[in-house]
Amino acid sequence: MLTNEEFTDCVQRYLNTVFRVAYNYLGSGADADDVTQNVFLKLLREKKPFEGDEHIRNWLIRVTINECKNLVRSKWWRMESLENHLAAPDFEDPAHSDLFYAVMALPKKYRIPIYLHYYEGYTTSEIAQILKVPKNTVCTQLRRGRECIRKSFMEEAESNV
Amino acid sequence: MFKDDYQAVFSKVTASEETYKKVMDLPKNRKNPGRFLGKALIVAAVISTLAVMASGAESVGKWFLRYFSDNAGQSLTKSQVEYIEENAQNDVAVPVQTPTEADEPVRVEVKSALTDGKTAYLTLSLTIPENVELTSLDPKWPDPILRFREALLIPEDTTGLIIAPDGTSPDALCEYSAVEDNDGLDWTQELVFEIDPALEDPEAEPFADGRQWRMVLTGVELMFFEPDREDLLLSDQTWEFTLNFQQGDSRQVELVQEPIRLMASKLLRNEYTIEVELTSFTLSTLNFRTVFTPTDPTLAGELLDMGDVKIVMKDGREVTLLRLTSTASAIGRPIILEEVDHVLLADGTKLPMPEGWDR
């Protein structure tokens, strides 16, 4: 079990990682906040020892994904559209705002690998392990996710012509 | 290039300050006898709780005692324990469809209920085959979680409730927790469901005496955390029960005598610049409800957040409620109304219990 000091250190280092994974999965800041609190409560109660920082980070991401899965299984959640959940941060650069919406419009099966790869720096093999999918699937998801974003930017540019 | 832009965009996506604060505060509620036993008042509460729990080892409310004290992060007070013992109901469920023991090794039994007419709690006992491994093979990962593949709650009378197209009360059964039963048997679990249906009418009483519900539980599975282990379906059977709740203490107190103007924020923004009018805040033993509307009509329907709200008891104890975002919510533990001094809103506004409310 983590000491209070170790727990505080984990919160400072990984709070936003957990939040962003949940946000990418759920598209909702309020739901991601709830999931983040649940995940850290589980971390506080975890009795098994951790082998190091990487173990804690992987554990947190995996538990976050399971928490999100549980939430999404609820009927009410499924009835609401992403649009209803989405509350975007304020972006000074309009291109960043467009990129945010393009990413959040992707199916979540693409959003999570993209986040883990481009933000957290995980390799495709590591993502495959965390998400319980074959490595080839992760490669495909990353490629298709990028293609979808590129396509949505091209469509946006064409509509502005 | 994509990576740089992506990182610039998602560095803006951060947990709210409230979440940071709440997560950092989690260790304060950690069970630590050395810390809690210091105060004479708490010692008295612990002793009385243990005494009631010991004498009522088979009492109807015993799982609720464990569940609520876990929720609160501390032992319940004597009056909370008495409330649970007096109001827990053991005849809430009538089985409609349950597989026979010969056909199905997984067993589901509804044990007891507790409701104030607005929020309800239900305890279930779940038994799985003894040979199912309930610990993770790789110690790096948490132990797997037992859960129902689908859990539905269907009201017979839908008055005042938001109902999904299939007739179910959305989300009503999505929150449940396993309670440590200390029976030494890994293959039995006690689950407590918190049932907080979505409401159309903020005054609706979904669990008032005479309102009947149907609960349908389908499939029991073991969800693993290890990346290389598939979830395990233990049963694809359906268990169906008719539920007849009996209200315990169904009193509710209105704390807003005159409309109050407050500042609220759009969700996730933490910019409390939107003026709202709070016209009602009702408190009952297990539930609180609010009615507020933005003074700018163009913001009607917007999800707003008014920050943390606390119930302050006469002895100084505080119970922090969920952020004030919805019209109704469970408190998460029983509140003895006679012991409440006031409700404290995030901006410092106090809503005292009105004089003579209990007459």
Side-chain angles (χ1 to χ4, degrees), chain A residues 5-69:
Chain A
E5 291 71 29
E6 288 167 337
F7 177 80
T8 302
D9 185 47
C10 284
V11 175
Q12 280 163 349
R13 273 195 289 168
Y14 301 125
L15 182 84
N16 283 329
T17 297
V18 167
F19 179 83
R20 288 183 189 119
V21 170
Y23 189 89
N24 270 284
Y25 200 106
L26 303 166
S28 154
D31 290 335
D33 271 329
D34 288 346
V35 164
T36 303
Q37 288 174 38
N38 284 344
V39 169
F40 279 97
L41 186 61
K42 283 194 162 73
L43 177 70
L44 192 67
R45 289 175 176 169
E46 179 60 56
K47 288 177 183 151
K48 293 178 182 173
F50 290 98
E51 291 170 1
D53 287 349
E54 265 315 283
H55 180 196
I56 292 177
R57 188 164 74 129
N58 290 354
W59 186 99
L60 286 169
I61 292 172
R62 183 71 218 148
V63 173
T64 304
I65 289 169
N66 276 5
E67 281 287 314
C68 293
K69 269 189 193 171

Side-chain angles (χ1 to χ4, degrees), chain A residues 4 33 48 70 75 129 132, chain B residues 19 30 136 147 166 227:
Chain A
N4 287 357
D33 271 329
K48 293 178 182 173
N70 264 346
K75 272 180 165 284
Q129 250 219 331
K132 291 188 182 185
Chain B
T19 294
R30 204 173 207 174
S136 60
R147 65 180 180 187
D166 62 359

Side-chain angles (χ1 to χ4, degrees), chain B residues 118 202-203 250-260 277-285 287-292 327 337 340-343 345 350-358:
Chain B
K118 297 157 194 78
E203 292 182 12
S250 61
R251 293 173 302 167
Q252 64 174 29
V253 188
E254 174 60 73
L255 277 75
V256 175
Q257 310 308 322
E258 297 278 334
I260 300 170
E277 192 169 77
L278 180 71
T279 51
S280 175
F281 188 111
T282 53
L283 193 61
S284 58
T285 311
N287 182 284
F288 70 98
R289 293 181 178 182
T290 57
V291 177
F292 58 86
T327 55
L337 295 174
V340 176
D341 186 68
H342 64 274
V343 166
L345 304 181
K350 280 185 183 178
L351 305 177
M353 293 290 272
E355 290 261 339
W357 68 268
D358 52 346

Side-chain angles (χ1 to χ4, degrees), chain B residues 42 67 73 87 125 135 150 169 192 194 206 280 304 331 348 359:
Chain B
I42 304 292
Y67 171 80
N87 292 287
S125 164
T135 51
E150 188 165 60
S169 175
V192 176
E194 183 179 86
S280 175
L304 298 175
I331 295 170
R359 274 180 218 139

Side-chain angles (χ1 to χ4, degrees), chain B residues 281 288 290 292 304-307 309 322-326 345:
Chain B
F281 188 111
F288 70 98
T290 57
F292 58 86
L304 298 175
D305 160 21
M306 289 198 286
V309 178
L322 288 175
R323 288 162 78 182
L324 206 52
T325 55
S326 58
L345 304 181

